Amino acid sequence: MPISKDQAREVVRRLSRWGSIEELAKRLHAVSEQTRPLPPDVPHPSDWSAEAHALRVRAVETQGIEIPHLAGRAEPIPPASLRGNIEQFVGMTQVPTGLIGPLRVNGVHAHGDYYVPLATTEGALVASYHRGARLASMAGGIAALVTTEQVQRAPGFVFTNIAEASHFAAWATDQFERFREVAGTRTKHGKLIDLLAHVEANHVYLIFAFHTGDAAGQNMSTFCTAAICEEILATTPVAPLSWYLEANMSGDKKATVLSFLHTRGRHVMAEVTLPRKLVQRGLHTTPERMAEYWRMSFVGGAQSGSIGVSGHIANGLAALFLACGQDVACVSEASVGVTRLELTEAGDLYCGLTLPNLIVGTVGGGTRLPTQRECLRILHCEGSEPGKEMAAKFAEIGAAVALAGEISIVGAICAGQFSRAHENLGRPAGP
Amino acid sequence: MPISKDQAREVVRRLSRWGSIEELAKRLHAVSEQTRPLPPDVPHPSDWSAEAHALRVRAVETQGIEIPHLAGRAEPIPPASLRGNIEQFVGMTQVPTGLIGPLRVNGVHAHGDYYVPLATTEGALVASYHRGARLASMAGGIAALVTTEQVQRAPGFVFTNIAEASHFAAWATDQFERFREVAGTRTKHGKLIDLLAHVEANHVYLIFAFHTGDAAGQNMSTFCTAAICEEILATTPVAPLSWYLEANMSGDKKATVLSFLHTRGRHVMAEVTLPRKLVQRGLHTTPERMAEYWRMSFVGGAQSGSIGVSGHIANGLAALFLACGQDVACVSEASVGVTRLELTEAGDLYCGLTLPNLIVGTVGGGTRLPTQRECLRILHCEGSEPGKEMAAKFAEIGAAVALAGEISIVGAICAGQFSRAHENLGRPAGP
Amino acid sequence: MPISKDQAREVVRRLSRWGSIEELAKRLHAVSEQTRPLPPDVPHPSDWSAEAHALRVRAVETQGIEIPHLAGRAEPIPPASLRGNIEQFVGMTQVPTGLIGPLRVNGVHAHGDYYVPLATTEGALVASYHRGARLASMAGGIAALVTTEQVQRAPGFVFTNIAEASHFAAWATDQFERFREVAGTRTKHGKLIDLLAHVEANHVYLIFAFHTGDAAGQNMSTFCTAAICEEILATTPVAPLSWYLEANMSGDKKATVLSFLHTRGRHVMAEVTLPRKLVQRGLHTTPERMAEYWRMSFVGGAQSGSIGVSGHIANGLAALFLACGQDVACVSEASVGVTRLELTEAGDLYCGLTLPNLIVGTVGGGTRLPTQRECLRILHCEGSEPGKEMAAKFAEIGAAVALAGEISIVGAICAGQFSRAHENLGRPAGP
Amino acid sequence: MPISKDQAREVVRRLSRWGSIEELAKRLHAVSEQTRPLPPDVPHPSDWSAEAHALRVRAVETQGIEIPHLAGRAEPIPPASLRGNIEQFVGMTQVPTGLIGPLRVNGVHAHGDYYVPLATTEGALVASYHRGARLASMAGGIAALVTTEQVQRAPGFVFTNIAEASHFAAWATDQFERFREVAGTRTKHGKLIDLLAHVEANHVYLIFAFHTGDAAGQNMSTFCTAAICEEILATTPVAPLSWYLEANMSGDKKATVLSFLHTRGRHVMAEVTLPRKLVQRGLHTTPERMAEYWRMSFVGGAQSGSIGVSGHIANGLAALFLACGQDVACVSEASVGVTRLELTEAGDLYCGLTLPNLIVGTVGGGTRLPTQRECLRILHCEGSEPGKEMAAKFAEIGAAVALAGEISIVGAICAGQFSRAHENLGRPAGP
């Protein structure tokens, strides 16, 4: 966001698929264990034995989801199949992967109880996210909602003076429909949806924004923008002195306020209200203390000059991205967000999370690879299906996971357990 | 940075190990291929066959570095050995890993020609970094230098009013020596090296900074700070109404201006001057064009509201972190930096990179794991050795890798090859 | 900026008034002293006597511009006439005002040679801006161009959950035309031109943007937004739990990246190319040195975490605002900008300035007051005239003044005169 | 802040002048009207007549403070006396000035009930600040506390490579004591108190920080730094290729995160707790609503990418700076701060404000001028007195004024009066 008028129409169109506001609100509403029991927990959380591992694998596979590569019983794949993902291949880095859940997600696209694979080398991370997921699920689950989506590419053009630069900017922005057609010749799944111009003296940055379907879409955006730039150079009324396909206003691979405000990838929100009793029993603290902590830590984060303010979103997203074949470098941008915890009038704890830069996909890139594909399958988010927005589904689960992690770490800090958890789980077993 | 007077003394002490400024400058000086020939390139860069893979593995192993896990011929390790790295283990995520190099690094700690493993699922990444590494090596290598280092933990304390808050802040800061002793009871490798107080009305944030030896050190910092907080609560002249072990001013797992300015992890710099001919032949562009691009992209990045301004540092660091058992979530903070390209008077291209938040370690966390350990071994950065600063060595290599990537991407954009590279290498082979 | 498609059409419409790009470029082109001689300098720059003062007053008044209040020969005005500008009036603060120029401005709206009044208490400021103005004028003058313009007001709405919040945001954005009509009932001069929605969990911020004619427009925007909010509350399909007329996303009275990117007030650019000889003779330095300084100081500013990067824009704008009855508190936002100095291929110095938040007016507020009105008259920017955009004219002059000051300070720093200038002019005359 | 260990000792030294924490807390404690009655209000707040004006002037003068220039009955001063404040003097800009108060300030340096002159052209501003001041005074007054203070100048040095740059940075930082001596030869009132080095590849920024006594101190810092730079060039072990007296890391005349975190000018805090009844009666809203508004507006401000988060600090500071001869351009930096409103357990409203960049002085610059001097006299902050910290006193009053304004505007927004106040007071009286 901010949502422009054009984007608003698109969001309205999307949300209206769920009918009235009442129907949308209902779909996002908490579902209690009484109404729909939660499936069983990931088995044997505190057991590092091979047997416990086997039980967890079986728990997944009895749902009909085969995970031979993840479980370690498949043959290595031939290097030739890695073309498109790696060059100068020397081997496979292996990253331990744990399962959390069930995590109840009440989203538009993701709607159900999920087991979520998280790949990490950092002890306590999986346990902490699992705790948050369990607690949120017991509270009826996490509501999640994708609103806007776009991926940018931002070429830069150098002119002789501000007159030419401004003229070019105005001209280019006015060619939107033609550029959309040009983009359409380069992709079936993508679509140019917006174009902004930023003029700084005799420099013009054009910011092209694309819908990229179920792909994360950086490459698609690059190819389409390259084609558009050819069109620009062929037809511009004023020739640039020089130009560059990307001039650092796309937000690719970095946190920026521009992306924070305008959406990069998907803008997803998640929320859950934790009843006071659950906070007390599950987190050993109170809603008041968590709300006070939120205020102090939010002001602290804002003072530190961060972009967005939150807890440790990068932890959960990096682990999810890694397990599910996302571009892990994008954690630098995707982990930007706003966490908000507030005491409700009833004395419960409202927990909301907004991730405006969640750039993810379920096709292309790492999602083609064996273990990554299996992990997407565990989430029921593999590939692309007509009539479904698989990447949006994945994004809603991602936001729910991140919120679960925010709840858990704040709870731990408020209950004075933050250090102890890492002492117990962040080191190898003693003798 | 900024380096304080205390830190300056420490940096002076470190740098003086290399003797005079002349000797330090000499150690960081470019070494031509004439003076010291470069070892052979990673074999068969454009070949995805099993045979090419085997040759690359052999190229590593003939140096005496066994990489059975990475190469895929070792047995899976028992789950029990993963305690401390994962909970609720379900399997191993496998990430394709490519080798780049040789990369000549003329650092204080890293000094030699390195092959660097990069784990990624994104096509073209390895090829691009390899190109930059080769070019920089042909220019005599990348100078690299670690200056300051510290890891922070920032507890927060709530008081009744600003009088108490200010009094507490002043008192606490004055207890530095005692806190250092307390920290010393919790760690052999770490050391409290600084303490700052930030007062916002009746809230006080204490920012404890630690040297953490060859460990990345977040946990060590947490444990020590927890111990210090106990001491604080036992001895403070004015009791806080409440307090929290971390109040979001440590910069953990997020990009912040505070960390950018003060160092988090290690502050590392890297530089190389590319002769004009090498730019023309190797990158198919000119120093003038790359310098113009730098100016435009730097202004673009600054306008987008980023923290530091650079190209795609996150790509290289995420891949290096992943291969070498670093905490990948830290890419959100570590990828912050400043890239600067300038035309020299002689018409060559000066390329400098500053990474103030490179938080890495060679012991603890993921560095214990098999493939990760093998990758560190390929870099001659495994574990800890008396008299050596292994993590600083790793940091210098990391900065050199990141700079190689900056050079390569800017070259590609300036030569109009940015889109094509991704078309060739970012997709599976066609039929 | 960034200019949206809608805004682009508006900019095209405006620019096209000047005909083709060639005609626009011509209007902004430098005009040499040979082509059109510069009027005489402000008389007796180094003379603080009453006689010199009288000569300067006469220099203004011989142009037919009476300035009795400024010159100190008018009677004090009755307090009753100050209603609307002050409450609890106790007297008049008197601020010394100096005149610089002539400053040649080649703008769309401001087109001529201007004497500019600057009110300040800081010695050396007027002299420094005068030097820059003279130099730029000798180079043919400063091109200046207003592109987009808008003033924001951003009410906030609290909802029960993200479903309602999103629904509301989409609904509201879709009511744009109706809101425009409502706004039209509250103002003749203003117009609602854009509406963005920003959703953060269950909070919605609506950002209304107005054209406000020749008024700075904060009050007009407030009144119109208040009327629109009434309409919202009467017709919304989902009622907010609470709401606030301004929720801190308008950028009012503070520097923000949001305003920097989106325009607040007017987005104005200014540029001039200084021939090498003029740099050498007038500033006693070289284009190379000024370009190097720009690079270093730009990187310095970006590292300090500023919004936009420039030199001392606030100095000139504060002095101009003060003299001309602008809201001086808005210097906090208006002084955000980007200064760029680059060596041209011909060895000259390109100087560009972009001010995206120049919020000014020529009617309303302080422009009603006697000395302020006289100062606006000196600039030929008094009041409002049909067919003229007086506030845009004032904005173009303001940008030109700011650029003159940037050139002067960078020149002084590069020539090693920065400290000396303040020693000479920043202290009272000695005995 | 953050306060370093060295600065902490200084703060301890200062605070300890007030004895124990109990004594300090007592000095800052609220003083009820019962304990010490408030002096009378500024007379006739809603009367714009000449008579009301005369009564207000008399109210000031009966305290023994003559204000002939402000009141408009003094002769204009001779232009020659303006040397040091203006060049090319053409006349006096006259800015209407209103009086608010009494404002009870319970500060370390400012301790009493103050009438505060505010110069502005914006209707409603004075009335709003007056309302906040009255309310805070009725609550026992605003506690205010200056902690750290420093003014920076940041020269930049260019080197051949990072080895030389790092060596220089370490060397320079180690010369602190010598540089302090050099600075001492240029000023009696100032003192070098800190020195930081920031290295970005082959560029070094040295950040010198000075105590500047009762002067705002920018010029003093410049002169001292110029002298230090001469010393540096004469003695450096490694010569820079070029250098500049200011390289844009001082924070002069702009908002930066660096200054926000490190103090520029004075770091001042102010606070008051408003009893629930006072909020209800005086602001027509509730502490709950104001606390909710604070949360929403704080998150809004953080999302907009501001530095610090607050309401409209610039309004009050610009008006106070203008009346009292401060450098109004510094509002761009001084208006950065953090406002925090929170519901207390007792149901009252805690209001805190932190201004880390309040750069002010009571000698030098505009404080020499007649009306400005009179306004400082009204505040009992004129000039410099042995054993008193006049500028610190002025800073505490400034912070209290700013907090009063924050309270008033938030109250107006929460009570739905924000728009109406401007309609009533922001326009001239109707016919």
Side-chain angles (χ1 to χ4, degrees), chain C residues 42 45 48-50 53 56-57 67 69-71 76 79-80 82-100 118-127 130 153 156-158 186 198 200 203-205 219 222-223 226 242-249 252-258 289 292-293 296-297 299-301 303-307 309-311 314-315 318 322-323 325-329 332 335 365-366 368-369 371-372 413-414 418-419 422-429, chain D residues 42 45 48-50 53 56-57 67 69-72 79-80 82-100 118-127 130 153 156-158 186 198 200 203-205 219 222-223 226 242-249 253-258 289 292-293 296-297 299-301 303-307 309-311 314-315 318 322-323 325-329 332 335 365-366 368-369 371-372 413-414 418-419 422-429:
Chain C
V42 172
W48 276 263
S49 69
H53 172 225
R56 282 180 219 117
V57 171
I67 52 170
H69 289 95
L70 193 62
L82 295 172
R83 182 166 186 155
N85 292 107
I86 197 78
E87 300 85 44
Q88 309 185 182
F89 176 67
V90 70
M92 283 291 188
T93 292
Q94 305 205 23
V95 186
T97 304
L99 208 60
I100 68 165
L118 298 175
T120 183
T121 61
E122 304 304 309
L125 188 153
V126 166
H130 178 66
R153 189 49 74 199
F157 302 84
V158 178
R186 294 299 305 270
H198 184 88
E200 183 272 304
H203 286 175
V204 179
Y205 303 78
N219 284 351
T222 301
F223 305 154
S242 58
W243 74 282
Y244 305 96
L245 185 51
E246 168 60 44
N248 220 2
M249 288 197 80
D252 196 13
K253 302 289 184 295
K254 54 192 64 100
T256 72
V257 181
L258 177 58
R289 189 159 158 81
E292 179 186 80
Y293 176 74
M296 183 170 203
S297 66
V299 175
Q303 291 184 120
S304 73
S306 73
I307 298 171
V309 182
S310 60
N315 271 331
L322 198 40
Q326 307 301 306
D327 186 346
V328 184
S332 54
S335 59
R368 285 189 285 258
L369 297 168
T371 65
Q372 289 78 350
I413 291 173
C414 290
F418 180 61
S419 178
H422 286 87
E423 293 196 69
N424 289 341
L425 296 171
R427 302 199 275 208
Chain D
V42 173
W48 277 263
S49 70
H53 171 225
R56 283 181 217 116
V57 171
I67 52 170
H69 290 95
L70 194 63
L82 295 171
R83 181 164 187 156
N85 293 106
I86 196 78
E87 299 86 44
Q88 309 186 179
F89 175 66
V90 70
M92 283 289 188
T93 292
Q94 305 206 24
V95 187
T97 304
L99 210 60
I100 68 166
L118 298 175
T120 182
T121 62
E122 305 303 310
L125 188 152
V126 166
H130 179 65
R153 188 50 74 197
F157 301 83
V158 178
R186 293 301 304 270
H198 184 87
E200 182 271 306
H203 285 176
V204 179
Y205 303 77
N219 284 350
T222 301
F223 304 154
S242 58
W243 73 281
Y244 304 97
L245 185 51
E246 168 60 45
N248 221 2
M249 289 198 81
K253 301 289 185 296
K254 54 193 64 99
T256 72
V257 180
L258 177 58
R289 191 159 158 81
E292 179 185 80
Y293 176 75
M296 182 168 204
S297 66
V299 175
Q303 291 184 119
S304 74
S306 73
I307 298 170
V309 182
S310 60
N315 271 331
L322 198 40
Q326 307 301 308
D327 186 347
V328 183
S332 53
S335 59
R368 286 189 284 259
L369 297 168
T371 66
Q372 288 79 350
I413 291 173
C414 289
F418 179 62
S419 177
H422 286 88
E423 293 196 70
N424 289 342
L425 295 171
R427 301 197 279 208

Side-chain angles (χ1 to χ4, degrees), chain D residues 75-243:
Chain D
E75 285 299 298
I77 55 168
S81 66
L82 295 171
R83 181 164 187 156
N85 293 106
I86 196 78
E87 299 86 44
Q88 309 186 179
F89 175 66
V90 70
M92 283 289 188
T93 292
Q94 305 206 24
V95 187
T97 304
L99 210 60
I100 68 166
L103 171 60
R104 177 159 291 180
V105 182
N106 308 309
V108 165
H109 304 286
H111 204 88
D113 302 320
Y114 299 91
Y115 296 97
V116 184
L118 298 175
T120 182
T121 62
E122 305 303 310
L125 188 152
V126 166
S128 176
Y129 277 79
H130 179 65
R131 184 173 81 136
R134 286 292 296 131
L135 203 72
S137 299
M138 286 161 68
I142 293 180
L145 180 63
V146 166
T147 56
T148 49
E149 61 178 86
Q150 56 186 0
V151 180
Q152 290 88 347
R153 188 50 74 197
F157 301 83
V158 178
F159 292 91
T160 304
N161 53 44
I162 56 176
E164 294 189 358
S166 300
H167 190 269
F168 174 79
W171 170 81
T173 325
D174 211 36
Q175 307 302 306
F176 178 72
E177 292 303 333
R178 186 141 55 105
F179 295 162
R180 172 177 277 186
E181 283 168 34
V182 171
T185 65
R186 293 301 304 270
T187 176
K188 275 176 295 187
H189 303 295
K191 190 176 165 189
L192 179 68
I193 61 157
D194 206 358
L195 165 54
L196 300 171
H198 184 87
V199 187
E200 182 271 306
N202 62 350
H203 285 176
V204 179
Y205 303 77
L206 294 181
I207 306 178
F208 292 97
F210 299 87
H211 269 180
T212 61
D214 286 321
Q218 294 99 332
N219 284 350
M220 190 190 295
S221 305
T222 301
F223 304 154
C224 291
T225 302
I228 293 170
C229 285
E230 282 175 38
E231 172 76 10
I232 286 175
L233 294 173
T235 60
T236 175
V238 44
L241 297 176
S242 58
W243 73 281

Side-chain angles (χ1 to χ4, degrees), chain B residues 8 40-41 44 121 128 130-131 135 207 224 253 267 272 285 299 302 325 362 367 369 410 416-417 422 426:
Chain B
D41 254 34
H44 299 268
T121 62
S128 176
H130 178 66
R131 184 173 80 137
L135 203 72
I207 306 178
C224 291
K253 301 290 185 294
H267 181 278
V272 63
T285 185
V299 175
T362 55
T367 66
L369 296 169
V410 173
Q417 299 174 333
H422 286 88

Side-chain angles (χ1 to χ4, degrees), chain B residues 58-349:
Chain B
R58 201 190 308 160
V60 172
E61 299 201 325
T62 52
Q63 298 171 55
I65 300 164
E66 296 291 310
I67 52 169
H69 290 95
L70 192 63
R73 62 175 197 267
E75 285 299 300
I77 56 168
S81 67
L82 296 172
R83 181 163 190 160
N85 292 105
I86 196 79
E87 300 86 43
Q88 308 187 181
F89 177 67
V90 70
M92 284 291 188
T93 291
Q94 305 206 22
V95 186
T97 304
L99 209 60
I100 68 164
L103 171 60
R104 178 159 288 179
V105 182
N106 308 309
V108 165
H109 304 287
H111 204 88
D113 300 321
Y114 299 90
Y115 296 97
V116 184
L118 298 175
T120 183
T121 62
E122 303 304 310
L125 188 152
V126 166
S128 176
Y129 276 79
H130 178 66
R131 184 173 80 137
R134 287 292 295 132
L135 203 72
S137 299
M138 286 161 68
I142 293 179
L145 180 64
V146 165
T147 57
T148 49
E149 60 178 86
Q150 56 186 2
V151 179
Q152 289 88 347
R153 188 51 74 197
F157 302 83
V158 178
F159 292 90
T160 304
N161 54 43
I162 55 176
E164 293 189 357
S166 299
H167 191 269
F168 174 79
W171 170 82
T173 324
D174 210 36
Q175 308 301 306
F176 178 71
E177 292 302 333
R178 187 142 53 106
F179 294 162
R180 172 177 276 186
E181 283 168 34
V182 171
T185 65
R186 293 301 305 268
T187 175
K188 274 175 297 187
H189 304 295
K191 190 176 164 187
L192 179 67
I193 60 158
D194 206 358
L195 164 55
L196 301 170
H198 184 88
V199 187
E200 182 272 304
N202 62 351
H203 285 176
V204 179
Y205 303 77
L206 295 181
I207 306 178
F208 292 98
F210 299 88
H211 270 182
T212 60
D214 286 321
Q218 294 98 331
N219 283 351
M220 190 191 294
S221 305
T222 302
F223 304 155
C224 291
T225 302
I228 293 170
C229 285
E230 283 175 37
E231 172 74 10
I232 286 175
L233 295 172
T235 60
T236 176
V238 44
L241 297 176
S242 58
W243 73 282
Y244 304 96
L245 185 50
E246 167 61 45
N248 220 3
M249 287 197 82
S250 69
D252 198 12
K253 301 290 185 294
K254 54 193 64 101
T256 72
V257 181
L258 177 58
S259 295
F260 176 84
L261 288 167
H262 283 256
T263 299
R264 180 171 167 82
R266 277 168 173 88
H267 181 278
V268 206
M269 295 182 291
E271 76 185 353
V272 63
T273 297
L274 298 179
R276 167 176 294 269
K277 283 198 177 159
L278 215 49
V279 171
Q280 290 170 332
R281 269 189 246 144
L283 297 173
H284 313 294
T285 185
T286 61
E288 282 80 4
R289 192 161 156 79
M290 289 179 75
E292 179 184 82
Y293 176 74
W294 174 77
R295 292 193 304 270
M296 182 171 204
S297 66
F298 196 93
V299 175
Q303 291 183 119
S304 73
S306 73
I307 298 170
V309 182
S310 60
H312 68 143
I313 294 172
N315 271 329
L317 289 189
L320 182 69
F321 275 32
L322 198 40
C324 299
Q326 307 302 306
D327 186 346
V328 184
C330 291
V331 167
S332 53
E333 57 203 279
S335 59
V336 159
V338 171
T339 299
R340 181 156 49 84
L341 307 185
E342 290 186 321
L343 192 66
T344 66
E345 276 190 40
D348 301 322
L349 189 72

Side-chain angles (χ1 to χ4, degrees), chain C residues 31-383:
Chain C
V31 178
S32 74
E33 289 194 80
Q34 284 70 37
T35 307
R36 197 180 83 213
L38 281 164
D41 254 35
V42 172
H44 299 269
S46 306
D47 187 345
W48 276 263
S49 69
E51 293 70 31
H53 172 225
L55 283 171
R56 282 180 219 117
V57 171
R58 200 190 309 160
V60 172
E61 300 202 325
T62 53
Q63 299 172 54
I65 300 163
E66 296 290 310
I67 52 170
H69 289 95
L70 193 62
R73 63 175 196 266
E75 285 299 299
I77 56 168
S81 68
L82 295 172
R83 182 166 186 155
N85 292 107
I86 197 78
E87 300 85 44
Q88 309 185 182
F89 176 67
V90 70
M92 283 291 188
T93 292
Q94 305 205 23
V95 186
T97 304
L99 208 60
I100 68 165
L103 171 61
R104 179 159 289 179
V105 182
N106 308 309
V108 165
H109 304 287
H111 204 87
D113 301 319
Y114 298 90
Y115 296 96
V116 184
L118 298 175
T120 183
T121 61
E122 304 304 309
L125 188 153
V126 166
S128 176
Y129 276 78
H130 178 66
R131 183 173 82 137
R134 287 292 295 132
L135 202 73
S137 298
M138 286 161 68
I142 294 179
L145 181 63
V146 165
T147 58
T148 49
E149 61 177 86
Q150 55 186 1
V151 180
Q152 289 89 345
R153 189 49 74 199
F157 302 84
V158 178
F159 293 90
T160 305
N161 54 44
I162 55 176
E164 294 190 357
S166 300
H167 191 267
F168 174 80
W171 170 82
T173 324
D174 211 36
Q175 307 302 305
F176 178 72
E177 292 303 332
R178 187 142 53 104
F179 294 162
R180 171 177 277 186
E181 283 168 34
V182 171
T185 65
R186 294 299 305 270
T187 175
K188 275 175 295 187
H189 304 295
K191 192 178 164 187
L192 179 67
I193 61 157
D194 206 358
L195 165 54
L196 300 170
H198 184 88
V199 188
E200 183 272 304
N202 62 350
H203 286 175
V204 179
Y205 303 78
L206 295 180
I207 306 178
F208 292 97
F210 299 87
H211 269 180
T212 60
D214 286 320
Q218 293 99 331
N219 284 351
M220 191 190 294
S221 305
T222 301
F223 305 154
C224 290
T225 302
I228 293 171
C229 285
E230 282 175 38
E231 173 75 9
I232 286 175
L233 294 173
T235 60
T236 176
V238 43
L241 297 175
S242 58
W243 74 282
Y244 305 96
L245 185 51
E246 168 60 44
N248 220 2
M249 288 197 80
S250 69
D252 196 13
K253 302 289 184 295
K254 54 192 64 100
T256 72
V257 181
L258 177 58
S259 295
F260 176 85
L261 288 166
H262 282 255
T263 299
R264 179 170 169 82
R266 278 167 173 90
H267 181 279
V268 206
M269 295 182 292
E271 75 186 353
V272 65
T273 297
L274 299 180
R276 166 176 295 271
K277 283 196 178 162
L278 216 48
V279 171
Q280 290 169 330
R281 269 189 249 146
L283 297 173
H284 313 294
T285 183
T286 63
E288 284 78 5
R289 189 159 158 81
M290 289 180 75
E292 179 186 80
Y293 176 74
W294 174 77
R295 293 194 303 272
M296 183 170 203
S297 66
F298 196 93
V299 175
Q303 291 184 120
S304 73
S306 73
I307 298 171
V309 182
S310 60
H312 68 144
I313 295 171
N315 271 331
L317 289 188
L320 182 68
F321 276 32
L322 198 40
C324 298
Q326 307 301 306
D327 186 346
V328 184
C330 291
V331 167
S332 54
E333 58 204 280
S335 59
V336 159
V338 171
T339 298
R340 180 155 49 82
L341 306 186
E342 291 186 321
L343 191 67
T344 67
E345 276 191 38
D348 301 323
L349 188 73
Y350 175 82
C351 309
L353 173 68
T354 305
L355 295 179
N357 298 339
L358 192 57
I359 186 158
V360 294
T362 55
V363 298
T367 66
R368 285 189 285 258
L369 297 168
T371 65
Q372 289 78 350
R373 198 169 190 113
E374 289 172 3
C375 284
L376 284 171
R377 210 173 289 157
I378 293 174
L379 290 171
H380 302 281
C381 284
E382 193 193 0

Side-chain angles (χ1 to χ4, degrees), chain A residues 48 56 85-91 93 97 99 121 124 127 205 242 244 246 253-254 292-293 296 311 315, chain B residues 48 56 85-91 93 97 99 121 124 127 205 242 244 246 253-254 292-293 296 311 315:
Chain A
W48 277 262
R56 283 180 219 117
N85 292 106
I86 196 80
E87 300 84 45
Q88 310 188 180
F89 176 67
V90 69
T93 292
T97 304
L99 210 59
T121 61
Y205 303 77
S242 59
Y244 305 96
E246 168 61 44
K253 303 288 185 295
K254 54 192 64 100
E292 178 185 81
Y293 176 75
M296 182 170 203
N315 271 331
Chain B
W48 277 262
R56 283 181 219 117
N85 292 105
I86 196 79
E87 300 86 43
Q88 308 187 181
F89 177 67
V90 70
T93 291
T97 304
L99 209 60
T121 62
Y205 303 77
S242 58
Y244 304 96
E246 167 61 45
K253 301 290 185 294
K254 54 193 64 101
E292 179 184 82
Y293 176 74
M296 182 171 204
N315 271 329

Side-chain angles (χ1 to χ4, degrees), chain A residues 62-121:
Chain A
T62 52
Q63 298 173 55
I65 298 164
E66 296 291 310
I67 51 169
H69 289 95
L70 193 63
R73 62 177 196 265
E75 284 299 300
I77 56 168
S81 67
L82 295 172
R83 180 163 190 158
N85 292 106
I86 196 80
E87 300 84 45
Q88 310 188 180
F89 176 67
V90 69
M92 283 291 188
T93 292
Q94 305 207 23
V95 186
T97 304
L99 210 59
I100 67 165
L103 170 61
R104 179 159 289 180
V105 182
N106 308 310
V108 166
H109 304 287
H111 205 87
D113 301 320
Y114 299 90
Y115 296 97
V116 184
L118 297 176
T120 184
T121 61

